[in-house]
């Protein structure tokens, strides 16, 4: 990627460049499966800044870096960034010590400032606004399942105002796909971002639809996609409002049947598909629900490809690291 130093959002990349990431991911995945070593970044060092907790993002960055021969340092509460030290100063310090920096946290402005000051490649592991490494994994998974991206109809159900709704809409615009946001209209994406994506779509053939009617939205869909209804960092008080607004947009067996037998179910995880155990038990006890954004029946069905997505986080992150950090 000679024209790029950082990986901050898919808006920064052309369709050809996004496809290059996917092609590199597929090649690296094949090498991993065949047991072929590929320590192409041997000796380089990567700092991982995590202000938000993670399973898939942290593990994927660490395994990808190790496979490429890199060393990683994980920073969470141990970092002084935003406490005793400014973002700019942290960026300049880490840029002197490391060959690359990953950031997972809150505002997009933080990762953008890190990129502006660090002097080394910076990678967005998630912000409130965008989650580009997740969408690369999603698109690799769709490509593996359907054989192509162009023309695929992806329906995102739930709260489409934040990182997943935004990034999937941008990705679909770039790759000529059909994006549908299905939700209560107050959860539709930002109009300014919609307009930006429509400009891109004029060149790629992508289409967009924003729909409150579930049957209308999902009929003929190739992918039904959802995410948790309350994002990390939001107050507990929003649970009641979100459940009231979004329960009718739960992906269940009836909704999958509306889409048709060709449809697959996708979720970036973690998912509230079983509220009887763990963190979901409190919600189960309070609201008497068995599941939230997706039922266990769908989550565990043959149409669910969520664990293919989870694995592909590592392969696509590895491709991003390699493309931007290889000398």
């Amino acid at each position: 990627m000679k024209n790029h130093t950082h990986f901050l959002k898919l808006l920064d990349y052309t369709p050809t460049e996004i496809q290059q990431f996917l092609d590199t991911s597929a090649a690296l995945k094949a090498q991993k499966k065949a047991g072929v070593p590929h320590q192409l970044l041997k000796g380089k060092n990567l700092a991982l800044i995590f202000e938000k907790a993670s399973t898939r993002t942290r593990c994927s960055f660490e395994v990808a870096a190790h496979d490429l021969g890199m060393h990683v340092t994980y920073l969470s509460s141990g970092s002084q960034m935003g406490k005793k030290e400014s973002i700019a100063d942290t960026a300049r310090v880490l840029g002197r010590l490391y060959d690359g920096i990953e950031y997972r946290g809150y505002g997009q402005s933080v990762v953008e400032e890190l990129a502006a000051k660090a002097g080394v490649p910076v990678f967005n592991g998630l912000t409130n606004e965008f989650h580009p490494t997740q969408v690369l994994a999603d698109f690799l998974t769709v490509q593996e399942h359907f054989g192509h991206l162009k023309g695929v109809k992806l329906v995102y159900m739930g709260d489409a105002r934040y990182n997943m709704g935004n990034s999937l809409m941008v990705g679909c615009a770039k790759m000529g796909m059909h994006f549908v946001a299905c939700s209560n209209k107050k959860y539709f994406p930002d109009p300014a971002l919609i307009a930006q994506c429509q400009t891109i779509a004029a060149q790629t053939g992508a289409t967009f639809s924003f729909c409150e009617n579930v049957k209308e939205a999902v009929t003929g869909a190739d992918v039904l996609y959802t995410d948790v209804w309350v994002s990390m960092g939001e107050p507990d008080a929003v649970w009641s409002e979100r459940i009231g607004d979004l329960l009718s947009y739960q992906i269940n067996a009836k909704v999958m049947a509306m889409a048709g037998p060709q449809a697959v179910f996708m979720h970036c995880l973690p998912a509230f598909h079983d509220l009887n155990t763990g963190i979901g038990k409190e919600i189960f006890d309070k609201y008497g629900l068995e599941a939230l954004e997706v039922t266990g029946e769908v989550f565990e069905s043959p149409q669910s490809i969520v664990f293919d997505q989870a694995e592909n986080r590592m392969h696509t992150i590895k491709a991003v690291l390699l493309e931007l950090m290889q000398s």
Side-chain angles (χ1 to χ4, degrees):
M1 295 285 172
K2 293 181 179 179
N3 296 325
H4 296 277
T5 302
H6 310 291
F7 188 75
L8 306 179
K9 55 189 183 298
L10 291 181
L11 283 168
D12 299 333
Y13 285 84
T14 68
T16 299
E17 290 167 338
I18 293 170
Q19 187 60 55
Q20 184 178 332
F21 281 131
L22 298 178
D23 293 345
T24 301
S25 302
L28 291 169
K29 182 174 182 177
Q31 290 179 23
K32 174 87 168 176
K33 298 294 185 183
V36 177
H38 42 276
Q39 294 197 332
L40 302 171
L41 297 177
K42 189 174 179 64
K44 290 186 180 291
N45 293 281
L46 180 69
L48 305 177
I49 302 174
F50 278 74
E51 293 185 325
K52 285 187 176 182
S54 167
T55 298
R56 279 146 295 278
T57 302
R58 177 181 176 179
C59 294
S60 293
F61 266 99
E62 290 200 359
V63 174
H66 288 148
D67 281 358
L68 291 168
M70 301 173 69
H71 303 286
V72 300
T73 301
Y74 175 75
L75 298 168
S76 57
S77 58
S79 169
Q80 293 292 354
M81 188 177 79
K83 302 168 189 173
K84 292 183 178 179
E85 189 168 52
S86 69
I87 295 165
D89 287 358
T90 300
R92 287 180 287 186
V93 169
L94 295 180
R96 296 291 187 96
L97 302 176
Y98 292 90
D99 302 291
I101 301 168
E102 178 273 350
Y103 171 80
R104 177 183 174 93
Y106 295 94
Q108 181 72 15
S109 61
V110 177
V111 76
E112 299 277 355
E113 186 171 1
L114 284 170
K117 299 294 185 179
V120 297
V122 172
F123 306 92
N124 181 357
L126 174 143
T127 63
N128 292 339
E129 293 88 348
F130 295 108
H131 198 359
T133 61
Q134 178 66 55
V135 173
L136 283 186
D138 297 338
F139 284 6
L140 179 62
T141 308
V142 170
Q143 186 172 276
E144 289 173 342
H145 191 84
F146 292 102
H148 60 95
L149 293 175
K150 193 171 182 65
V152 166
K153 179 179 178 180
L154 186 150
V155 181
Y156 183 83
M157 301 185 67
D159 189 345
R161 300 171 299 168
Y162 298 122
N163 46 41
M164 283 314 307
N166 289 345
S167 293
L168 285 166
M169 182 171 66
V170 170
C172 287
K174 293 282 186 175
M175 304 312 288
M177 299 166 67
H178 305 312
F179 176 83
V180 181
C182 179
S183 185
N184 181 310
K185 64 183 178 181
K186 75 181 187 181
Y187 296 104
F188 288 169
D190 177 65
L193 183 61
I194 292 172
Q196 196 171 2
C197 288
Q198 287 174 331
T199 299
I200 297 167
Q203 304 299 317
T204 65
T207 63
F208 300 95
S209 177
F210 306 93
C211 184
E212 293 187 283
N213 183 282
V214 173
K215 183 173 177 56
E216 179 184 341
V218 306
T219 298
D222 299 299
V223 178
L224 297 188
Y225 198 120
T226 193
D227 189 10
V228 295
W229 293 338
V230 177
S231 298
M232 287 180 286
E234 292 191 285
D236 292 341
V238 305
W239 276 107
S240 181
E241 178 187 12
R242 297 285 168 79
I243 289 171
D245 287 342
L246 297 174
L247 192 58
S248 59
Y249 298 98
Q250 178 191 77
I251 299 181
N252 50 41
K254 181 179 178 181
V255 172
M256 291 299 297
M258 290 178 188
Q262 80 290 338
V264 297
F265 169 73
M266 300 181 75
H267 194 303
C268 55
L269 302 182
F272 284 102
H273 62 92
D274 179 3
L275 298 184
N276 266 309
T277 58
I279 192 171
K281 191 174 188 307
E282 182 178 341
I283 303 169
F284 175 86
D285 291 341
K286 185 173 182 179
Y287 298 102
L289 300 170
E290 294 184 358
L292 290 184
E293 73 276 6
V294 59
T295 61
E297 182 180 10
V298 170
F299 188 87
E300 301 292 354
S301 74
Q303 288 173 285
S304 174
I305 56 174
V306 297
F307 296 109
D308 293 337
Q309 286 176 267
E311 177 190 341
N312 282 338
R313 289 297 307 285
M314 186 268 288
H315 302 300
T316 47
I317 284 171
K318 189 186 296 184
V320 171
L321 293 174
L322 181 62
E323 291 283 2
L324 270 66
M325 294 183 69
Q326 192 170 37
S327 299

